[in-house]
Amino acid sequence: MDPVTHGLIGATASQSFAKKETLRAAAFTGFVSATLADLDVFLFSTTDPLLNLELHRQFTHSLIFIPIGALFATALIWWFVKKHLTLKQTYFFSLAGYATAGMADYLTSYGVHLLWPFVDERYSLNIISVFDPLFTLGIIVCTGIAFWKRDKLFSRIALGWVVLYLIFGFSQKQKAINIAEEMATQNDQSIDRIDVKPTIANQLVWSVRYENQDTLHAYGIRLFPFSDPIIYEGETAPLLDWRNEFNSFNGTILYKDIERFSKLSNGFLIKHPGHENVIGDARYSMLPTTLSPLWGIEIDTTRPDQHVDFGTYRDASPEIRQTFMDMLFGRKLR
């Protein structure tokens, strides 16, 4: 989730427990503490590009790290709020704010290591985009009024907005899954695995990827309340059998890096259609109907004992943007 929304959710959570005289300081504490977990983006290696991907949303977002993260937040924030809050209050509001960080990212895609270090698995609900302006706007309005009037009633209204919006997202996702299952049945296919998530900045157009017999199928589904769904049929591509293709490199750094990237991509690996020697994460593309990954690793078999390069491959051309807007407004694609 974007840093601003992270902070606003943290501020809302802290405000909800504050008294009128401490509400503003509590909001500030919650806002800052909720954003600290994402400082893990600065943990990287100049020689190992995948390390940053592995550490992002890892220990700083785990449930067991919440009290420790709140402690760091308290040490940072207390010097700014000590005229308004005691050290104990500062820790309490930092705890409330920091606790929202991992849970907020859990609602989006890509996944969070909530149970690190006990379980090495990423969890995600995929019910809201990492950036959703309507969701954020509702929190800004309610939390802003609460801050201005020093009235935590509006903080609780903000929490109500968050819950209702997420329930709507969960409902939309279930509808998309049901439609995908119906499409697979109509095509005499079984679904071996499925990945469903909202597209960027909205809850109306959903991205569907499902696997059938080692082939990935992509669809876009527009779900507008009280209207019939619109299905945009997309591309298909074979999933990469990387273990077989790169078996001769087993034991090398190259092989281990492909294995690491496969784990980060939940096994949805394909060859990038527009970039030779690039293996991409097939779950993410500019359009829900295309299988041109937004990021991937470049394979150089002449350097098996060196780490792979990681790159991004975004195409925000006018044609791509227009196609996305056509989907968003339920138009026929050109």
Side-chain angles (χ1 to χ4, degrees):
M1 196 165 283
D2 68 276
V4 173
T5 307
H6 261 308
L8 289 169
I9 293 175
T12 301
S14 297
Q15 282 181 342
S16 300
F17 299 102
K19 295 180 179 180
K20 186 172 184 177
E21 59 271 16
T22 60
L23 188 142
R24 290 182 178 175
F28 173 78
T29 302
F31 186 98
V32 174
S33 60
T35 62
L36 291 182
D38 279 341
L39 290 179
D40 59 8
V41 298
F42 295 105
L43 300 175
F44 64 92
S45 168
T46 56
T47 59
D48 182 3
L50 294 183
L51 182 64
N52 176 262
L53 296 178
E54 291 175 328
L55 293 180
H56 183 45
R57 295 188 176 188
Q58 197 209 46
F59 71 94
T60 60
H61 289 65
S62 70
L63 296 177
I64 198 173
F65 193 78
I66 290 174
I68 302 171
L71 190 63
F72 281 112
T74 301
L76 174 66
I77 297 168
W78 190 63
W79 300 103
F80 298 95
V81 299
K82 60 182 179 180
K83 292 183 179 179
H84 307 282
L85 300 176
T86 65
L87 188 60
K88 183 178 180 180
Q89 288 174 320
T90 305
Y91 180 77
F92 176 76
F93 293 131
S94 294
L95 187 67
Y98 196 94
T100 66
M103 296 307 299
D105 280 336
Y106 167 60
L107 301 169
T108 65
S109 60
Y110 189 66
V112 182
H113 283 279
L114 284 178
L115 300 182
W116 180 93
F118 308 108
V119 179
D120 188 22
E121 183 177 344
R122 292 177 180 266
Y123 298 93
S124 61
L125 280 183
N126 292 340
I127 59 175
I128 188 171
S129 171
V130 293
F131 170 66
D132 191 317
L134 182 59
F135 178 68
T136 303
L137 180 61
I139 305 175
I140 288 176
V141 171
C142 296
T143 304
I145 294 175
F147 187 89
W148 177 47
K149 290 192 171 185
R150 299 178 190 243
D151 188 347
K152 61 184 179 183
L153 171 64
F154 291 94
S155 294
R156 291 172 179 171
I157 293 174
L159 290 176
W161 165 254
V162 169
V163 171
L164 287 175
Y165 200 90
L166 295 177
I167 290 175
F168 175 68
F170 180 82
S171 174
Q172 292 283 86
K173 179 183 177 181
Q174 293 307 306
K175 291 178 183 177
I177 291 174
N178 292 338
I179 292 171
E181 291 174 344
E182 291 175 4
M183 290 189 300
T185 300
Q186 292 172 4
N187 294 328
D188 294 324
Q189 298 170 338
S190 61
I191 296 179
D192 302 323
R193 286 189 302 163
I194 189 169
D195 182 79
V196 177
K197 58 183 172 295
T199 54
I200 190 70
N202 77 100
Q203 289 274 30
L204 300 181
V205 180
W206 287 72
S207 169
V208 173
R209 305 278 198 269
Y210 72 75
E211 176 188 353
N212 170 252
Q213 297 182 352
D214 298 323
T215 298
L216 199 62
H217 301 260
Y219 289 89
I221 302 178
R222 183 182 186 268
L223 298 170
F224 195 83
F226 311 111
S227 299
D228 292 333
I230 300 175
I231 301 171
Y232 297 102
E233 187 171 356
E235 300 172 347
T236 62
L239 285 167
L240 179 65
D241 183 6
W242 63 269
R243 293 185 183 277
N244 182 56
E245 183 163 338
F246 296 97
N247 183 58
S248 60
F249 296 95
N250 196 345
T252 65
I253 293 176
L254 172 67
Y255 187 90
K256 292 177 181 177
D257 279 358
I258 299 174
E259 184 175 33
R260 292 164 66 196
F261 188 66
S262 176
K263 184 177 180 180
L264 288 166
S265 305
N266 200 26
F268 285 94
L269 295 187
I270 61 173
K271 290 187 176 181
H272 200 297
H275 296 270
E276 190 176 2
N277 299 326
V278 169
I279 297 174
D281 184 342
R283 298 173 299 170
Y284 300 92
S285 60
M286 293 298 294
L287 294 172
T289 51
T290 61
L291 288 172
S292 296
L294 289 178
W295 50 75
I297 54 174
E298 185 172 355
I299 305 302
D300 187 349
T301 55
T302 66
R303 302 186 305 163
D305 294 318
Q306 295 186 34
H307 285 293
V308 298
D309 292 325
F310 177 81
T312 56
Y313 309 94
R314 292 179 174 85
D315 177 9
S317 64
E319 293 78 13
I320 294 291
R321 296 198 302 269
Q322 183 60 54
T323 300
F324 179 77
M325 295 305 295
D326 287 341
M327 291 183 183
L328 188 62
F329 287 99
R331 306 173 187 139
K332 291 184 178 180
L333 299 186
R334 302 172 185 178

